[in-house]
Amino acid sequence: MATGRASDNTVQELDFSSCGEDGSDSSSDDWETRITRSPESICRTPKISRHRSRRDATPSEFPTTPLRCAWKKLRLCDSPSTPKSLLSKSALSNSVSKPCSSQRSLHFTGASEPTRHSPAPSVNVNPFTPNTFRKASETLKRKGWRSDEDDQLGDKEDHTSSDEDDETFLPSKRPAVQASMLSRYESEFLELGRIGIGEFGAVYKCVKRLDGCLYAIKRSRRPLAGSANEQLALKEVYAHAVLGHHPHVVRYYSAWAEDDHMIIQNEYCDGGSLHDAITKKEKLGALFLEPELMDLLLQVSMGLKYIHSSGLVHLDIKPSNIFICQRLPANTGGEGESEEEEDGSLSTAVLYKIGDLGHVTSSSSPQVEEGDSRFLASEVLREDYTHLPKADIFALGLTLLLAGGAPPLPSNGEEWHRLRQAQLPVLSQKLSPAFQSLIQMLLHPEPHLRPSASALCRHPLLRRESAKKIASQLRKELNVEKFRTAMLERELKEARMAALSPQQPFHSLVQQFSAHGGSLPRTGNRVVGKNAARSMSFGCPGY
Ligand SMILES: Nc1ncnc2c1ncn2[C@@H]1O[C@H](COP(=O)(O)OP(=O)(O)OP(=O)(O)O)[C@@H](O)[C@H]1O
Ligand SMILES: [Mg+2]
């Protein structure tokens, strides 16, 4: 998997500007030749190669597949729509392949009176976004980013995909592109940089001009019409649309077709993928330790439980398809997280989310497109689909091994088979026997003997670890509260003493308390610890 900064060339050469049928494919070809394949994406079993050739088959071999028809119908470049609305709209109209006049009238800035020849829309600042991004947005606002004169903006090629983007990204300096020339992607999003490349496509970090929030926009690498790739693309969209929202599944917002490529707008996960996190730790000579592995296992099991209970299976669970969201302190006590509270993952610093639903299929009537061969359960290779959800459990077991320090997994050969015969690699850390045997169960050669995702969510070992974490979090919070109370008691005592002293005039009392950043002690309904900022200003040992 390749991550990193979007090179100047890449950004410059992307051609999203056409939404007509007759858009040239040359940009796509350039695109494809520029892409370096991820190590994960090039590992396939011979069987998968067979599937691959099926995918790359000519249109005539798939003349009337429903998916093909659906794809054609998706070729709209209209106002923002869900796939469902796209489909229903397309059923009503035959004019879908014509350049869309409605798109020309899309105006998001509100900063100036939109005209037909207005430049690219700028980006709105969302006051409700988390601090980091808001700060960046406000800085930009101060710099006059959202001015009427978009040609004052900085160079688009200055954008990178680095973490500093959140703090310092600059908007694009567009040549005098008229809004009427913009694709939906361009008119609705400001691209900040490329964040990853996979088998299916490239993923870009973008800010949506209208709501000012970050999104991960995935664009298929190859033109889809006429190839079986459209089946994969649509699978991902269908799965997302059916799945709805879950804290451990990457959230889907929208999808549309543009210039014969599928574009999917997903939640942006600021911690990147688990694969990135493992690589980063490896470089530092570190590993995911047992409590972290348990947390990972519990959280991904929750996501899988949700997917499986919806009658679907993922079939491509692996570190590069598990995404990380760093939890902001402000979120930890928020409402609307009851599901997480129930599951016990509220106390964790990171949220793991299952993404990349391109291989999802129904467990009852499966159409299997195997994922990465390194994570493939042997029964799937044998085309035994009777316990498909357990194939996800198997892949999760291997994912845990990798995070726990196992050497790289084989994509075929003797070693591949040994792993599927309960012969696990030696890890570079010692795990407790209980956890070791749980991992062994995940990788059981007999799929029906592997625990289900639901059983894993209830597993005492994982629940205990999660309870320990909650207890430690609560202990920390209790200590902070104790410290605050102690400070308030001290202030109260000092105030009482000062009040009792006959020499001290009232105004000096006021001065004394304001010097402490405090307030006069009140009789009545003082809420202890309410003014947290004041108490914390004395400095809290250990925090
Ligand atoms: N929502 C997201 N938030 C942050 N980064 C993302 C997101 N989606 C994808 N990425 C980045 O882009 C890379 C490729 O994404 P994704 O897995 O969706 O594409 P893919 O083409 O299906 O890849 P593969 O076939 O290798 O699984 C990921 O490994 C990750 O680094
Ligand atoms: Mg992927």
mmCIF file of all heavy atoms in Angstrom, residues 103-112 114 117-124 145-150 153 171-172 174 177-191 207-210:
data_model
loop_
_atom_site.group_PDB
_atom_site.id
_atom_site.type_symbol
_atom_site.label_atom_id
_atom_site.label_comp_id
_atom_site.label_asym_id
_atom_site.label_seq_id
_atom_site.Cartn_x
_atom_site.Cartn_y
_atom_site.Cartn_z
ATOM 1 N N GLN A 103 -25.733 20.944 -13.059
ATOM 2 C CA GLN A 103 -24.459 21.052 -12.361
ATOM 3 C C GLN A 103 -23.861 22.448 -12.522
ATOM 4 O O GLN A 103 -23.195 22.956 -11.646
ATOM 5 C CB GLN A 103 -23.490 20.018 -12.883
ATOM 6 C CG GLN A 103 -22.219 20.027 -12.059
ATOM 7 C CD GLN A 103 -21.255 19.001 -12.531
ATOM 8 O OE1 GLN A 103 -21.594 18.150 -13.338
ATOM 9 N NE2 GLN A 103 -20.043 19.076 -12.049
ATOM 10 N N ARG A 104 -24.132 23.025 -13.675
ATOM 11 C CA ARG A 104 -23.567 24.356 -13.923
ATOM 12 C C ARG A 104 -24.061 25.355 -12.903
ATOM 13 O O ARG A 104 -23.407 26.314 -12.605
ATOM 14 C CB ARG A 104 -23.949 24.819 -15.312
ATOM 15 C CG ARG A 104 -23.199 24.051 -16.364
ATOM 16 C CD ARG A 104 -23.549 24.568 -17.706
ATOM 17 N NE ARG A 104 -23.184 23.584 -18.688
ATOM 18 C CZ ARG A 104 -23.927 23.251 -19.707
ATOM 19 N NH1 ARG A 104 -25.085 23.825 -19.880
ATOM 20 N NH2 ARG A 104 -23.538 22.353 -20.554
ATOM 21 N N SER A 105 -25.238 25.105 -12.412
ATOM 22 C CA SER A 105 -25.765 26.105 -11.488
ATOM 23 C C SER A 105 -25.455 25.786 -10.042
ATOM 24 O O SER A 105 -26.006 26.381 -9.150
ATOM 25 C CB SER A 105 -27.279 26.234 -11.677
ATOM 26 O OG SER A 105 -27.870 24.971 -11.465
ATOM 27 N N LEU A 106 -24.545 24.816 -9.791
ATOM 28 C CA LEU A 106 -24.180 24.527 -8.405
ATOM 29 C C LEU A 106 -23.327 25.654 -7.848
ATOM 30 O O LEU A 106 -22.300 26.002 -8.407
ATOM 31 C CB LEU A 106 -23.354 23.232 -8.326
ATOM 32 C CG LEU A 106 -24.103 21.926 -8.420
ATOM 33 C CD1 LEU A 106 -23.113 20.782 -8.358
ATOM 34 C CD2 LEU A 106 -25.115 21.796 -7.289
ATOM 35 N N HIS A 107 -23.766 26.225 -6.753
ATOM 36 C CA HIS A 107 -22.973 27.278 -6.121
ATOM 37 C C HIS A 107 -22.987 27.038 -4.641
ATOM 38 O O HIS A 107 -24.034 26.909 -4.038
ATOM 39 C CB HIS A 107 -23.565 28.657 -6.406
ATOM 40 C CG HIS A 107 -23.526 28.989 -7.864
ATOM 41 N ND1 HIS A 107 -22.365 29.305 -8.521
ATOM 42 C CD2 HIS A 107 -24.506 29.024 -8.788
ATOM 43 C CE1 HIS A 107 -22.641 29.539 -9.801
ATOM 44 N NE2 HIS A 107 -23.922 29.357 -9.981
ATOM 45 N N PHE A 108 -21.811 26.952 -4.037
ATOM 46 C CA PHE A 108 -21.759 26.588 -2.631
ATOM 47 C C PHE A 108 -21.238 27.688 -1.731
ATOM 48 O O PHE A 108 -21.371 27.612 -0.537
ATOM 49 C CB PHE A 108 -20.849 25.368 -2.452
ATOM 50 C CG PHE A 108 -21.415 24.147 -3.086
ATOM 51 C CD1 PHE A 108 -21.032 23.802 -4.364
ATOM 52 C CD2 PHE A 108 -22.360 23.374 -2.435
ATOM 53 C CE1 PHE A 108 -21.558 22.676 -4.971
ATOM 54 C CE2 PHE A 108 -22.888 22.259 -3.037
ATOM 55 C CZ PHE A 108 -22.484 21.915 -4.307
ATOM 56 N N THR A 109 -20.600 28.680 -2.301
ATOM 57 C CA THR A 109 -19.879 29.596 -1.414
ATOM 58 C C THR A 109 -20.787 30.514 -0.638
ATOM 59 O O THR A 109 -20.605 30.699 0.553
ATOM 60 C CB THR A 109 -18.923 30.489 -2.207
ATOM 61 O OG1 THR A 109 -19.722 31.265 -3.097
ATOM 62 C CG2 THR A 109 -17.918 29.692 -2.983
ATOM 63 N N GLY A 110 -21.708 31.078 -1.248
ATOM 64 C CA GLY A 110 -22.554 32.047 -0.571
ATOM 65 C C GLY A 110 -21.798 33.328 -0.273
ATOM 66 O O GLY A 110 -22.336 34.278 0.266
ATOM 67 N N ALA A 111 -20.497 33.332 -0.561
ATOM 68 C CA ALA A 111 -19.697 34.501 -0.242
ATOM 69 C C ALA A 111 -19.961 35.634 -1.227
ATOM 70 O O ALA A 111 -19.810 36.794 -0.910
ATOM 71 C CB ALA A 111 -18.224 34.133 -0.264
ATOM 72 N N SER A 112 -20.339 35.289 -2.379
ATOM 73 C CA SER A 112 -20.632 36.324 -3.347
ATOM 74 C C SER A 112 -21.838 35.901 -4.166
ATOM 75 O O SER A 112 -22.197 34.748 -4.204
ATOM 76 C CB SER A 112 -19.429 36.518 -4.271
ATOM 77 O OG SER A 112 -19.212 35.327 -4.973
ATOM 78 N N PRO A 114 -23.595 34.364 -6.791
ATOM 79 C CA PRO A 114 -23.119 33.473 -7.834
ATOM 80 C C PRO A 114 -23.541 33.929 -9.225
ATOM 81 O O PRO A 114 -24.661 34.367 -9.421
ATOM 82 C CB PRO A 114 -23.769 32.130 -7.486
ATOM 83 C CG PRO A 114 -24.916 32.436 -6.599
ATOM 84 C CD PRO A 114 -24.645 33.758 -5.976
ATOM 85 N N HIS A 117 -20.600 32.684 -14.554
ATOM 86 C CA HIS A 117 -19.177 32.577 -14.866
ATOM 87 C C HIS A 117 -18.314 32.721 -13.628
ATOM 88 O O HIS A 117 -17.185 33.130 -13.696
ATOM 89 C CB HIS A 117 -18.795 33.630 -15.900
ATOM 90 C CG HIS A 117 -19.561 33.439 -17.175
ATOM 91 N ND1 HIS A 117 -19.311 32.375 -18.007
ATOM 92 C CD2 HIS A 117 -20.593 34.127 -17.710
ATOM 93 C CE1 HIS A 117 -20.150 32.432 -19.029
ATOM 94 N NE2 HIS A 117 -20.940 33.480 -18.874
ATOM 95 N N SER A 118 -18.880 32.382 -12.477
ATOM 96 C CA SER A 118 -18.097 32.522 -11.255
ATOM 97 C C SER A 118 -17.000 31.469 -11.230
ATOM 98 O O SER A 118 -17.132 30.410 -11.825
ATOM 99 C CB SER A 118 -18.998 32.355 -10.034
ATOM 100 O OG SER A 118 -19.524 31.045 -10.045
ATOM 101 N N PRO A 119 -15.891 31.778 -10.532
ATOM 102 C CA PRO A 119 -14.805 30.809 -10.455
ATOM 103 C C PRO A 119 -15.176 29.656 -9.519
ATOM 104 O O PRO A 119 -16.269 29.618 -8.995
ATOM 105 C CB PRO A 119 -13.652 31.641 -9.893
ATOM 106 C CG PRO A 119 -14.302 32.772 -9.183
ATOM 107 C CD PRO A 119 -15.624 33.011 -9.830
ATOM 108 N N ALA A 120 -14.208 28.756 -9.314
ATOM 109 C CA ALA A 120 -14.461 27.586 -8.468
ATOM 110 C C ALA A 120 -14.929 28.020 -7.093
ATOM 111 O O ALA A 120 -14.424 28.994 -6.548
ATOM 112 C CB ALA A 120 -13.170 26.796 -8.331
ATOM 113 N N PRO A 121 -15.904 27.313 -6.529
ATOM 114 C CA PRO A 121 -16.393 27.713 -5.223
ATOM 115 C C PRO A 121 -15.302 27.546 -4.178
ATOM 116 O O PRO A 121 -14.467 26.664 -4.293
ATOM 117 C CB PRO A 121 -17.532 26.724 -4.945
ATOM 118 C CG PRO A 121 -17.747 25.961 -6.190
ATOM 119 C CD PRO A 121 -16.543 26.113 -7.031
ATOM 120 N N SER A 122 -15.320 28.403 -3.167
ATOM 121 C CA SER A 122 -14.349 28.256 -2.089
ATOM 122 C C SER A 122 -14.928 27.310 -1.039
ATOM 123 O O SER A 122 -15.926 26.663 -1.271
ATOM 124 C CB SER A 122 -14.021 29.616 -1.502
ATOM 125 O OG SER A 122 -15.198 30.199 -1.017
ATOM 126 N N VAL A 123 -14.261 27.246 0.100
ATOM 127 C CA VAL A 123 -14.653 26.276 1.116
ATOM 128 C C VAL A 123 -15.278 26.982 2.301
ATOM 129 O O VAL A 123 -14.733 27.962 2.800
ATOM 130 C CB VAL A 123 -13.411 25.475 1.581
ATOM 131 C CG1 VAL A 123 -13.782 24.484 2.654
ATOM 132 C CG2 VAL A 123 -12.781 24.784 0.398
ATOM 133 N N ASN A 124 -16.389 26.485 2.746
ATOM 134 C CA ASN A 124 -17.013 27.053 3.936
ATOM 135 C C ASN A 124 -16.297 26.587 5.188
ATOM 136 O O ASN A 124 -15.646 25.554 5.192
ATOM 137 C CB ASN A 124 -18.481 26.634 4.006
ATOM 138 C CG ASN A 124 -19.312 27.333 2.953
ATOM 139 O OD1 ASN A 124 -18.902 28.371 2.439
ATOM 140 N ND2 ASN A 124 -20.440 26.763 2.614
ATOM 141 N N TRP A 145 -9.279 33.608 2.747
ATOM 142 C CA TRP A 145 -9.449 32.518 1.811
ATOM 143 C C TRP A 145 -10.812 32.600 1.147
ATOM 144 O O TRP A 145 -10.954 32.430 -0.037
ATOM 145 C CB TRP A 145 -9.299 31.222 2.587
ATOM 146 C CG TRP A 145 -9.431 30.001 1.763
ATOM 147 C CD1 TRP A 145 -9.307 29.918 0.415
ATOM 148 C CD2 TRP A 145 -9.719 28.709 2.218
ATOM 149 N NE1 TRP A 145 -9.475 28.627 0.018
ATOM 150 C CE2 TRP A 145 -9.729 27.858 1.098
ATOM 151 C CE3 TRP A 145 -9.948 28.138 3.473
ATOM 152 C CZ2 TRP A 145 -9.968 26.516 1.199
ATOM 153 C CZ3 TRP A 145 -10.172 26.794 3.559
ATOM 154 C CH2 TRP A 145 -10.183 25.998 2.435
ATOM 155 N N ARG A 146 -11.815 32.859 1.978
ATOM 156 C CA ARG A 146 -13.163 32.820 1.444
ATOM 157 C C ARG A 146 -13.551 34.172 0.894
ATOM 158 O O ARG A 146 -14.513 34.792 1.283
ATOM 159 C CB ARG A 146 -14.117 32.383 2.558
ATOM 160 C CG ARG A 146 -15.194 31.503 2.054
ATOM 161 C CD ARG A 146 -16.207 31.293 3.111
ATOM 162 N NE ARG A 146 -17.507 31.598 2.561
ATOM 163 C CZ ARG A 146 -18.596 31.586 3.257
ATOM 164 N NH1 ARG A 146 -18.563 31.329 4.529
ATOM 165 N NH2 ARG A 146 -19.728 31.860 2.682
ATOM 166 N N SER A 147 -12.696 34.681 0.089
ATOM 167 C CA SER A 147 -13.006 35.961 -0.504
ATOM 168 C C SER A 147 -13.724 35.745 -1.818
ATOM 169 O O SER A 147 -13.812 34.639 -2.323
ATOM 170 C CB SER A 147 -11.708 36.729 -0.751
ATOM 171 O OG SER A 147 -11.010 36.092 -1.779
ATOM 172 N N ASP A 148 -14.197 36.830 -2.356
ATOM 173 C CA ASP A 148 -14.872 36.707 -3.644
ATOM 174 C C ASP A 148 -13.879 36.416 -4.754
ATOM 175 O O ASP A 148 -14.210 35.899 -5.799
ATOM 176 C CB ASP A 148 -15.625 37.989 -3.959
ATOM 177 C CG ASP A 148 -16.770 38.162 -3.001
ATOM 178 O OD1 ASP A 148 -17.098 37.198 -2.269
ATOM 179 O OD2 ASP A 148 -17.343 39.234 -2.979
ATOM 180 N N GLU A 149 -12.633 36.816 -4.467
ATOM 181 C CA GLU A 149 -11.606 36.679 -5.497
ATOM 182 C C GLU A 149 -10.887 35.364 -5.336
ATOM 183 O O GLU A 149 -9.879 35.281 -4.674
ATOM 184 C CB GLU A 149 -10.577 37.815 -5.335
ATOM 185 C CG GLU A 149 -11.179 39.184 -5.298
ATOM 186 C CD GLU A 149 -11.277 39.779 -6.676
ATOM 187 O OE1 GLU A 149 -10.422 39.455 -7.483
ATOM 188 O OE2 GLU A 149 -12.198 40.562 -6.921
ATOM 189 N N ASP A 150 -11.390 34.338 -5.960
ATOM 190 C CA ASP A 150 -10.761 33.038 -5.772
ATOM 191 C C ASP A 150 -9.394 32.953 -6.402
ATOM 192 O O ASP A 150 -8.597 32.102 -6.047
ATOM 193 C CB ASP A 150 -11.660 31.938 -6.322
ATOM 194 C CG ASP A 150 -12.641 31.495 -5.277
ATOM 195 O OD1 ASP A 150 -12.818 32.210 -4.285
ATOM 196 O OD2 ASP A 150 -13.220 30.442 -5.467
ATOM 197 N N LEU A 153 -6.211 32.782 -4.350
ATOM 198 C CA LEU A 153 -5.906 31.615 -3.553
ATOM 199 C C LEU A 153 -4.532 31.064 -3.887
ATOM 200 O O LEU A 153 -3.989 31.270 -4.951
ATOM 201 C CB LEU A 153 -6.957 30.536 -3.821
ATOM 202 C CG LEU A 153 -8.383 30.962 -3.517
ATOM 203 C CD1 LEU A 153 -9.335 29.854 -3.908
ATOM 204 C CD2 LEU A 153 -8.553 31.325 -2.067
ATOM 205 N N PRO A 171 -5.655 26.835 0.171
ATOM 206 C CA PRO A 171 -6.599 26.489 -0.879
ATOM 207 C C PRO A 171 -5.958 26.559 -2.260
ATOM 208 O O PRO A 171 -4.866 27.083 -2.433
ATOM 209 C CB PRO A 171 -7.668 27.550 -0.738
ATOM 210 C CG PRO A 171 -6.959 28.704 -0.150
ATOM 211 C CD PRO A 171 -5.888 28.154 0.725
ATOM 212 N N SER A 172 -6.672 26.050 -3.220
ATOM 213 C CA SER A 172 -6.081 25.979 -4.543
ATOM 214 C C SER A 172 -6.189 27.300 -5.277
ATOM 215 O O SER A 172 -7.151 28.034 -5.138
ATOM 216 C CB SER A 172 -6.806 24.910 -5.355
ATOM 217 O OG SER A 172 -8.129 25.328 -5.554
ATOM 218 N N ARG A 174 -6.843 28.488 -8.575
ATOM 219 C CA ARG A 174 -7.348 27.950 -9.822
ATOM 220 C C ARG A 174 -7.166 28.968 -10.918
ATOM 221 O O ARG A 174 -7.350 30.147 -10.694
ATOM 222 C CB ARG A 174 -8.833 27.649 -9.702
ATOM 223 C CG ARG A 174 -9.086 26.516 -8.782
ATOM 224 C CD ARG A 174 -10.541 26.137 -8.860
ATOM 225 N NE ARG A 174 -10.804 25.076 -7.933
ATOM 226 C CZ ARG A 174 -10.504 23.807 -8.173
ATOM 227 N NH1 ARG A 174 -9.984 23.473 -9.308
ATOM 228 N NH2 ARG A 174 -10.751 22.882 -7.283
ATOM 229 N N VAL A 177 -11.107 29.038 -14.063
ATOM 230 C CA VAL A 177 -11.995 27.956 -14.479
ATOM 231 C C VAL A 177 -13.415 28.373 -14.169
ATOM 232 O O VAL A 177 -13.708 28.809 -13.075
ATOM 233 C CB VAL A 177 -11.675 26.662 -13.702
ATOM 234 C CG1 VAL A 177 -12.609 25.542 -14.139
ATOM 235 C CG2 VAL A 177 -10.235 26.258 -13.925
ATOM 236 N N GLN A 178 -14.260 28.248 -15.119
ATOM 237 C CA GLN A 178 -15.640 28.621 -14.853
ATOM 238 C C GLN A 178 -16.344 27.480 -14.153
ATOM 239 O O GLN A 178 -16.049 26.324 -14.373
ATOM 240 C CB GLN A 178 -16.339 28.921 -16.179
ATOM 241 C CG GLN A 178 -15.758 30.155 -16.824
ATOM 242 C CD GLN A 178 -16.406 30.439 -18.142
ATOM 243 O OE1 GLN A 178 -17.240 29.684 -18.604
ATOM 244 N NE2 GLN A 178 -16.012 31.531 -18.735
ATOM 245 N N ALA A 179 -17.285 27.846 -13.263
ATOM 246 C CA ALA A 179 -18.012 26.834 -12.519
ATOM 247 C C ALA A 179 -18.673 25.844 -13.462
ATOM 248 O O ALA A 179 -18.807 24.680 -13.159
ATOM 249 C CB ALA A 179 -19.049 27.495 -11.636
ATOM 250 N N SER A 180 -19.062 26.349 -14.624
ATOM 251 C CA SER A 180 -19.766 25.488 -15.572
ATOM 252 C C SER A 180 -18.876 24.364 -16.086
ATOM 253 O O SER A 180 -19.353 23.384 -16.596
ATOM 254 C CB SER A 180 -20.278 26.314 -16.740
ATOM 255 O OG SER A 180 -19.183 26.924 -17.379
ATOM 256 N N MET A 181 -17.530 24.532 -15.963
ATOM 257 C CA MET A 181 -16.618 23.522 -16.465
ATOM 258 C C MET A 181 -16.288 22.490 -15.396
ATOM 259 O O MET A 181 -15.593 21.528 -15.652
ATOM 260 C CB MET A 181 -15.307 24.183 -16.907
ATOM 261 C CG MET A 181 -15.463 25.228 -17.977
ATOM 262 S SD MET A 181 -16.080 24.508 -19.475
ATOM 263 C CE MET A 181 -14.602 23.661 -20.010
ATOM 264 N N LEU A 182 -16.721 22.724 -14.191
ATOM 265 C CA LEU A 182 -16.283 21.871 -13.103
ATOM 266 C C LEU A 182 -17.097 20.598 -13.009
ATOM 267 O O LEU A 182 -18.300 20.593 -13.206
ATOM 268 C CB LEU A 182 -16.389 22.628 -11.770
ATOM 269 C CG LEU A 182 -15.485 23.837 -11.625
ATOM 270 C CD1 LEU A 182 -15.812 24.573 -10.345
ATOM 271 C CD2 LEU A 182 -14.032 23.418 -11.649
ATOM 272 N N SER A 183 -16.393 19.537 -12.652
ATOM 273 C CA SER A 183 -17.079 18.278 -12.377
ATOM 274 C C SER A 183 -17.666 18.386 -10.977
ATOM 275 O O SER A 183 -17.363 19.315 -10.227
ATOM 276 C CB SER A 183 -16.070 17.140 -12.422
ATOM 277 O OG SER A 183 -15.153 17.290 -11.358
ATOM 278 N N ARG A 184 -18.471 17.405 -10.622
ATOM 279 C CA ARG A 184 -19.032 17.428 -9.268
ATOM 280 C C ARG A 184 -17.905 17.373 -8.238
ATOM 281 O O ARG A 184 -17.936 18.058 -7.222
ATOM 282 C CB ARG A 184 -19.980 16.232 -9.087
ATOM 283 C CG ARG A 184 -20.462 16.118 -7.658
ATOM 284 C CD ARG A 184 -21.565 15.109 -7.495
ATOM 285 N NE ARG A 184 -21.818 14.881 -6.085
ATOM 286 C CZ ARG A 184 -22.611 13.948 -5.603
ATOM 287 N NH1 ARG A 184 -23.252 13.144 -6.417
ATOM 288 N NH2 ARG A 184 -22.778 13.807 -4.305
ATOM 289 N N TYR A 185 -16.921 16.539 -8.527
ATOM 290 C CA TYR A 185 -15.785 16.413 -7.608
ATOM 291 C C TYR A 185 -15.124 17.769 -7.376
ATOM 292 O O TYR A 185 -14.866 18.180 -6.253
ATOM 293 C CB TYR A 185 -14.789 15.412 -8.190
ATOM 294 C CG TYR A 185 -13.530 15.237 -7.369
ATOM 295 C CD1 TYR A 185 -13.532 14.501 -6.206
ATOM 296 C CD2 TYR A 185 -12.332 15.832 -7.781
ATOM 297 C CE1 TYR A 185 -12.373 14.339 -5.451
ATOM 298 C CE2 TYR A 185 -11.172 15.663 -7.034
ATOM 299 C CZ TYR A 185 -11.200 14.912 -5.872
ATOM 300 O OH TYR A 185 -10.047 14.761 -5.132
ATOM 301 N N GLU A 186 -14.877 18.464 -8.457
ATOM 302 C CA GLU A 186 -14.195 19.749 -8.334
ATOM 303 C C GLU A 186 -15.067 20.828 -7.715
ATOM 304 O O GLU A 186 -14.587 21.656 -6.971
ATOM 305 C CB GLU A 186 -13.717 20.213 -9.707
ATOM 306 C CG GLU A 186 -12.474 19.491 -10.163
ATOM 307 C CD GLU A 186 -11.989 20.028 -11.493
ATOM 308 O OE1 GLU A 186 -12.844 20.214 -12.389
ATOM 309 O OE2 GLU A 186 -10.798 20.250 -11.640
ATOM 310 N N SER A 187 -16.339 20.796 -8.091
ATOM 311 C CA SER A 187 -17.181 21.875 -7.579
ATOM 312 C C SER A 187 -17.547 21.672 -6.125
ATOM 313 O O SER A 187 -17.729 22.627 -5.390
ATOM 314 C CB SER A 187 -18.441 22.039 -8.433
ATOM 315 O OG SER A 187 -19.200 20.858 -8.386
ATOM 316 N N GLU A 188 -17.595 20.410 -5.677
ATOM 317 C CA GLU A 188 -18.008 20.175 -4.295
ATOM 318 C C GLU A 188 -16.849 20.004 -3.328
ATOM 319 O O GLU A 188 -17.019 20.165 -2.121
ATOM 320 C CB GLU A 188 -18.892 18.931 -4.218
ATOM 321 C CG GLU A 188 -20.255 19.141 -4.811
ATOM 322 C CD GLU A 188 -21.183 17.981 -4.518
ATOM 323 O OE1 GLU A 188 -20.987 17.252 -3.535
ATOM 324 O OE2 GLU A 188 -22.124 17.811 -5.308
ATOM 325 N N PHE A 189 -15.663 19.622 -3.846
ATOM 326 C CA PHE A 189 -14.563 19.289 -2.939
ATOM 327 C C PHE A 189 -13.279 20.029 -3.291
ATOM 328 O O PHE A 189 -13.021 20.306 -4.452
ATOM 329 C CB PHE A 189 -14.277 17.778 -2.977
ATOM 330 C CG PHE A 189 -15.448 16.956 -2.527
ATOM 331 C CD1 PHE A 189 -16.365 16.480 -3.460
ATOM 332 C CD2 PHE A 189 -15.654 16.693 -1.189
ATOM 333 C CE1 PHE A 189 -17.459 15.743 -3.048
ATOM 334 C CE2 PHE A 189 -16.748 15.957 -0.770
ATOM 335 C CZ PHE A 189 -17.657 15.485 -1.706
ATOM 336 N N LEU A 190 -12.517 20.297 -2.272
ATOM 337 C CA LEU A 190 -11.165 20.813 -2.470
ATOM 338 C C LEU A 190 -10.222 19.673 -2.108
ATOM 339 O O LEU A 190 -10.249 19.167 -0.982
ATOM 340 C CB LEU A 190 -10.919 22.009 -1.553
ATOM 341 C CG LEU A 190 -9.503 22.565 -1.574
ATOM 342 C CD1 LEU A 190 -9.223 23.259 -2.892
ATOM 343 C CD2 LEU A 190 -9.284 23.519 -0.421
ATOM 344 N N GLU A 191 -9.415 19.268 -3.057
ATOM 345 C CA GLU A 191 -8.522 18.131 -2.827
ATOM 346 C C GLU A 191 -7.285 18.577 -2.068
ATOM 347 O O GLU A 191 -6.597 19.509 -2.480
ATOM 348 C CB GLU A 191 -8.134 17.557 -4.186
ATOM 349 C CG GLU A 191 -7.316 16.299 -4.112
ATOM 350 C CD GLU A 191 -6.946 15.842 -5.514
ATOM 351 O OE1 GLU A 191 -7.853 15.543 -6.309
ATOM 352 O OE2 GLU A 191 -5.740 15.813 -5.808
ATOM 353 N N VAL A 207 -11.668 18.359 1.399
ATOM 354 C CA VAL A 207 -12.595 19.085 2.255
ATOM 355 C C VAL A 207 -13.801 19.446 1.394
ATOM 356 O O VAL A 207 -13.656 19.863 0.240
ATOM 357 C CB VAL A 207 -11.920 20.317 2.916
ATOM 358 C CG1 VAL A 207 -11.313 21.250 1.924
ATOM 359 C CG2 VAL A 207 -12.894 21.076 3.790
ATOM 360 N N LYS A 208 -14.955 19.215 1.960
ATOM 361 C CA LYS A 208 -16.159 19.536 1.197
ATOM 362 C C LYS A 208 -16.425 21.028 1.325
ATOM 363 O O LYS A 208 -16.484 21.566 2.434
ATOM 364 C CB LYS A 208 -17.351 18.724 1.722
ATOM 365 C CG LYS A 208 -18.582 18.928 0.876
ATOM 366 C CD LYS A 208 -19.649 17.902 1.128
ATOM 367 C CE LYS A 208 -20.858 18.304 0.290
ATOM 368 N NZ LYS A 208 -21.876 17.309 0.254
ATOM 369 N N ARG A 209 -16.580 21.659 0.180
ATOM 370 C CA ARG A 209 -16.699 23.118 0.184
ATOM 371 C C ARG A 209 -17.910 23.584 0.977
ATOM 372 O O ARG A 209 -17.867 24.595 1.652
ATOM 373 C CB ARG A 209 -16.796 23.635 -1.254
ATOM 374 C CG ARG A 209 -15.563 23.321 -2.075
ATOM 375 C CD ARG A 209 -15.707 23.835 -3.496
ATOM 376 N NE ARG A 209 -14.711 23.263 -4.379
ATOM 377 C CZ ARG A 209 -13.462 23.696 -4.505
ATOM 378 N NH1 ARG A 209 -13.047 24.715 -3.785
ATOM 379 N NH2 ARG A 209 -12.630 23.127 -5.340
ATOM 380 N N LEU A 210 -18.989 22.824 0.904
ATOM 381 C CA LEU A 210 -20.220 23.259 1.551
ATOM 382 C C LEU A 210 -20.160 23.156 3.075
ATOM 383 O O LEU A 210 -20.460 24.108 3.773
ATOM 384 C CB LEU A 210 -21.402 22.435 1.025
ATOM 385 C CG LEU A 210 -22.755 22.785 1.615
ATOM 386 C CD1 LEU A 210 -23.161 24.204 1.246
ATOM 387 C CD2 LEU A 210 -23.821 21.802 1.147
#
